[in-house]
Amino acid sequence: MNHDAWLAALTGELRRHGVGPDLTGHVVAEAATHLAESGEPPLAVFGPPQAYARAVADSLGGPDQRPPRRRPGPVRLGARGITKRYRGRTVLDRVDLTVRAGEIAAVVGANGAGKSTFLRICAGLVSPDAGTVQVDGALGYCPQDGGTAEFLDPDEHFVLVGAGRGLSRGAARRAGRTGAAALDWTPPAGTQARHLSGGTRQKLNLVLARLGEPDVLLLDEPYQGFDRGTYLDFWHEVWRWRDAGKAIVVVTHLLNQLDRVDLVLDLTAPGERAA
Amino acid sequence: MTKILVVAESALRELLRRRSVLVILLLLPLAFYLSRRGDHLGQSIRFVCLGLGWALSTAALFAGSAARGIEPRLRLSGYRSAHLVLGRLLALWTVGALLSAPYFVLVLVDQHDVRYGAIALIMALTVVVAAPFGLLLSAVLPRELEGTLVLLTVVGLQMVMDPADQATRALPFWFSREIGTYAIDHTDGGYLTRGLTQGITFAVVLTLLVAVAAAVRLRRRRHLRFA
């Protein structure tokens, strides 16, 4: 592993360990200076980038998991009285949710609680039996599965979805590749979606939802199949989007992330919750 | 227009990458042609046109079913349902034209004393009708197996029913038998007119029905309001 590759890997690992961008830049610059002056191989000096990044993060007392304080903006998504019944069973009963610009809302609940249905209603893909959804801005939606074309490669997906958003071919490809890089992924040219692994296909799904910088992002368990590193990258990206003023709704069943979001909508039925 | 062309380009790429399907599509009309070439040359022309219609309808059926997963996302990304329908039809019509060309050359080389212009017209109408027919089946019957069985039934009926029977006019490819009679048996222009009228009517109606089905399925739901 040469200097540049090692430093790039270290940058990614520091970010995954929750080290802020300023400190990351400082640590990487120091390491680069040391390597340039000593001329020694980085693995011999610092060891693997993962281990070195972990050591740096530990020395700082672990990653900072507190969401930065900020002032929420105007309401971007307002769901009122959403009710949905399937075959006589009420899945969603007068559910309300308000998400402002610069906020992350987590939708949680047991299997079958209606999390995905609620998100599909917010996206306008399914009609509720009662209730309304008001959206201020453009919508981006990442489904739990599907949402890609089997025989198209990632660049062709970027062009196809980008054209709908009014992006030129070049701009769509650039935006897609930038979004992919943030998830530590370089889309392979010519590899069709059907040949991508489940986790990589979800990365494509997520990048497509973000194309064109929509104001409201609806993400339905988008991290399925992600490895640990990508999972951390994903949350860092979500916080970055929030800080850029996006309103984000994430369906999740991983409760350990709830302290990092601004709102929690629990769709678990009251009886089940008490049990 | 850009959106329609991008959808058409993507759909065309998807179709052309299903290589084994393409080979079967290309060979299916040939099998139809050869099946009747020994006993009646003119009949083989009618059969090859039906084979083309069947092959392209099937391709459209599968293309329509495969697109169901990504179309809601495309709709949310700024496409109208008309962009998606027209783009996909454009791709299928292009594939149909490419598929028909070698069979027209085959007829030119292998058949004599027939009206070649009328045969080209049958092939063109077959392509124009088959694409929306397959897409409509995919819209109405979301599972491919059901759609394939309906296609099988329609083409089977088209082959075995007497073209003079009034009921056969309700079948989408009836025009190919009628114009075929004009082209092969050198009958009067009435056959051409009747066939042309039925073919154009089916093409227009099927295309409109596909557009309506897509508009309904991908409509913006009333509960969602944009500020």
Side-chain angles (χ1 to χ4, degrees), chain A residues 195-237:
Chain A
H195 296 310
L196 299 175
S197 69
T200 310
R201 195 184 285 213
Q202 269 311 91
K203 288 182 189 176
L204 172 61
N205 225 337
L206 193 58
V207 174
L208 292 176
R210 274 276 296 151
L211 272 187
E213 301 279 325
D215 307 287
V216 181
L217 272 164
L218 306 172
L219 312 175
D220 192 354
E221 296 195 39
Y223 43 72
Q224 300 229 6
F226 283 2
D227 55 34
R228 183 181 166 278
T230 309
Y231 178 74
L232 293 173
D233 286 343
F234 160 72
W235 277 103
H236 282 282
E237 279 300 288

Side-chain angles (χ1 to χ4, degrees), chain A residues 6-181:
Chain A
W6 190 91
L7 290 169
L10 177 65
T11 306
E13 288 298 327
L14 285 170
R15 192 179 56 175
R16 286 172 177 174
H17 282 81
V19 178
D22 292 345
L23 189 53
T24 296
H26 180 68
V27 170
V28 172
E30 264 197 1
T33 306
H34 182 89
L35 291 172
E37 287 174 355
S38 69
E40 291 176 276
L43 284 173
V45 180
F46 296 107
Q50 299 90 333
Y52 187 63
R54 197 180 314 119
V56 170
D58 287 347
S59 73
L60 296 170
D64 182 3
Q65 303 207 346
R66 290 169 304 170
R69 296 187 68 82
R70 79 223 147 268
R71 205 170 50 189
V75 173
R76 291 284 184 216
L77 180 112
R80 297 277 170 278
I82 300 297
T83 301
K84 183 72 181 175
R85 297 180 200 90
Y86 277 122
R87 297 190 181 113
R89 188 173 80 91
T90 301
V91 180
L92 299 169
D93 187 12
R94 288 162 291 169
V95 176
D96 296 328
L97 177 68
T98 301
V99 190
R100 295 173 171 275
E103 283 187 333
I104 303 171
V107 181
V108 301
N111 290 339
K115 304 186 293 291
S116 294
T117 302
F118 178 72
L119 213 66
R120 289 173 66 79
I121 288 171
C122 289
L125 300 174
V126 171
S127 296
D129 292 302
T132 59
V133 176
Q134 183 93 23
V135 173
D136 181 4
L139 266 178
Y141 173 62
C142 179
Q144 196 174 10
D145 48 32
T148 55
E150 297 275 293
F151 288 83
L152 296 182
D153 73 19
D155 279 336
E156 289 159 355
H157 277 88
F158 301 150
V159 170
L160 178 60
V161 174
R165 298 270 188 215
L167 298 177
S168 68
R169 285 169 189 271
R173 277 196 204 102
R174 278 193 299 278
R177 288 197 163 261
T178 304

Side-chain angles (χ1 to χ4, degrees), chain B residues 18 54 56 83 94 135 142 152 161 177 213 217-218 223 227:
Chain B
R18 296 169 185 254
W54 194 11
L56 191 60
H83 292 140
T94 306
L135 283 185
L152 198 65
M161 282 179 80
R177 301 290 292 257
R217 185 165 54 85
L218 299 170
H223 72 277

Side-chain angles (χ1 to χ4, degrees), chain A residues 123-125 139 141 160-161 164-165, chain B residues 3 7 67 69-84 214-221 226:
Chain A
L125 300 174
L139 266 178
Y141 173 62
L160 178 60
V161 174
R165 298 270 188 215
Chain B
K3 289 178 182 174
V7 173
I70 198 170
E71 279 184 345
R73 150 164 280 160
L74 295 179
R75 182 79 178 85
L76 276 177
S77 304
Y79 287 95
R80 291 172 186 274
S81 59
H83 292 140
L84 303 176
V216 170
R217 185 165 54 85
L218 299 170
R219 71 191 180 280
R220 178 177 290 167
R221 267 54 177 192
F226 284 90

Side-chain angles (χ1 to χ4, degrees), chain B residues 153-154 157-175 177-178 198 202:
Chain B
T153 308
V154 167
L157 283 174
Q158 196 87 65
M159 284 177 172
V160 298
M161 282 179 80
D162 178 4
D165 188 336
Q166 283 292 320
T168 57
R169 295 187 184 213
L171 295 171
F173 300 114
W174 177 78
F175 65 85
R177 301 290 292 257
E178 202 72 354
Q198 194 257 3
F202 261 79

